[in-house]
């Protein structure tokens, strides 16, 4: 019995299209085509098999197909970087894809928790990859140096590290963005507020929100939205209203605005440093108040395997080992999606 609604061909094509944007830019055309075609072929074959078997529901079939696509992508990239001759790539990838398919079917068929399924699959993928490389060495098809080089390839870990570095660069640049915006603020603002004293803009909190509104008007809107997503909803709405207000610059005292700006810049780094495991676990567990497990699985189905494993392990109250900055990115993204 087939799986209703499972367009495995379209799904595989979509995954392959997404993968094209993630292929390392230093790969030549042959290497890029190999990675993309390997992902497409294995995910299509797996999807077709699942569709015809009818053993799993739609969500499970989608998950298994995506897992095969993701690991096909990462391990084919690893093989390209390994230095192993290309004529050995296909046999290795076939063994890896077959392993994923069988382990995933067994794990999901037993209704194991998703994080446990992902851990089993990751373990067997890595083991199969290393076993294939060792077999090449045993047959004297590669030497010790090449075996060592190939064994230490891990594109998925490299992508996580790259994401962490990018986030760190963004954090370091944030105070500079505030400073650049401040330099663009009008210098001819009146020394005293032109509004009556009872106007709410004269209160400390609202003055700070108004200052942020002036500052945000000088920044790129996508960066503004990212910052506002972290605000209390009421405060975010207040900032947006100030941003839309006409002649806001003329209604705020310059000295007060610059003092507020300095306070914001001073407190910003301290806000970014709170990435302790306990804080991150709490942030993720709070999300479970709004999503049940099936909804979370659906929301995370396009994420990397380690990301899904991290989230579902956190929901059990345990911290899956991951760089704090990367973990905080995941937790923040998940919280923002609520």
């Amino acid at each position: 019995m087939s799986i209703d609604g499972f367009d495995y061909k379209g799904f595989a094509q979509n995954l392959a299209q997404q993968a094209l944007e993630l292929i390392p830019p230093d790969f030549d055309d042959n290497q890029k085509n190999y990675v993309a075609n390997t992902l497409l072929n294995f995910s299509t074959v797996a999807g077709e098999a699942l569709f015809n078997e009818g053993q799993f529901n739609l969500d499970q079939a989608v998950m298994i197909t995506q897992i095969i696509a993701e690991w096909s992508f990462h391990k084919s990239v690893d093989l390209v970087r390994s230095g192993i001759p290309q004529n050995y790539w296909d046999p290795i990838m076939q063994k890896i894809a077959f392993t994923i398919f069988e382990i995933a079917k067994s794990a999901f068929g037993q209704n194991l928790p998703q994080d446990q399924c992902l851990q089993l699959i990751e373990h067997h993928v890595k083991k199969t990859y290393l076993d294939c490389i060792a077999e090449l060495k045993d047959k004297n098809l590669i030497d010790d140096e090449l075996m060592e080089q190939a064994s230490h390839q891990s594109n998925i870990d490299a992508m996580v590290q790259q994401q962490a570095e990018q986030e760190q660069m963004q954090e370091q640049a944030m105070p500079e963005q505030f400073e650049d915006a401040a330099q663009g603020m009008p210098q001819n603002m009146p020394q005293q507020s032109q509004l009556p004293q009872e106007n709410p803009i004269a209160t400390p909190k609202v003055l700070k929100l108004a200052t942020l509104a002036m500052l945000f008007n000088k920044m790129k809107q996508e960066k503004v939205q990212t910052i506002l997503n972290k605000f209390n909803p009421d405060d975010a709405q207040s900032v947006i209203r100030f941003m839309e207000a006409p002649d806001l610059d003329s209604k705020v005292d310059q000295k007060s605005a610059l003092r507020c700006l300095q306070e914001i810049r001073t407190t910003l780094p301290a806000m970014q440093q709170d990435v302790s495991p306990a804080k991150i676990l709490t942030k993720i567990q709070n999300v479970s108040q709004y999503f049940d497990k099936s909804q979370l699985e659906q929301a995370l189905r396009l994420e990397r395997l380690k990301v899904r494993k991290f989230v579902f392990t956190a929901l059990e109250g345990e911290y899956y080992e991951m760089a704090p900055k990367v973990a905080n990115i995941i937790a923040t993204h998940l919280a923002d999606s609520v």
Side-chain angles (χ1 to χ4, degrees), residues 160-224:
V160 170
Q161 178 63 30
Q162 181 182 21
Q163 185 175 2
E165 292 173 354
Q166 290 175 346
E167 177 67 13
Q168 185 175 11
M169 290 175 62
Q170 290 174 359
E171 289 178 358
Q172 293 172 346
M174 188 65 73
E176 296 177 4
Q177 293 170 5
F178 279 113
E179 183 174 353
D180 291 343
Q183 291 175 353
M185 292 172 66
Q187 298 302 309
N188 59 348
M189 296 195 315
Q191 296 302 306
Q192 300 294 328
S193 172
Q194 296 180 2
L195 296 181
Q197 186 62 31
E198 67 272 16
N199 191 286
I201 205 168
T203 66
K205 179 177 180 179
V206 179
L207 177 59
K208 185 174 292 187
L209 295 177
T211 301
L212 284 172
M214 289 192 297
L215 192 152
F216 288 166
N217 280 330
K218 307 296 182 181
M219 295 171 60
K220 293 182 178 179
Q221 293 308 300
E222 59 267 23
K223 294 186 181 296
V224 171

Side-chain angles (χ1 to χ4, degrees), residues 246-272:
D247 302 323
L248 177 63
D249 294 347
S250 65
K251 300 175 181 178
V252 180
D253 174 62
Q254 181 184 17
K255 290 183 179 180
S256 297
L258 294 177
R259 184 174 63 252
C260 286
L261 180 63
Q262 183 60 42
E263 291 177 4
I264 293 168
R265 292 179 57 203
T266 301
T267 58
L268 184 64
M271 293 167 57
Q272 295 171 338

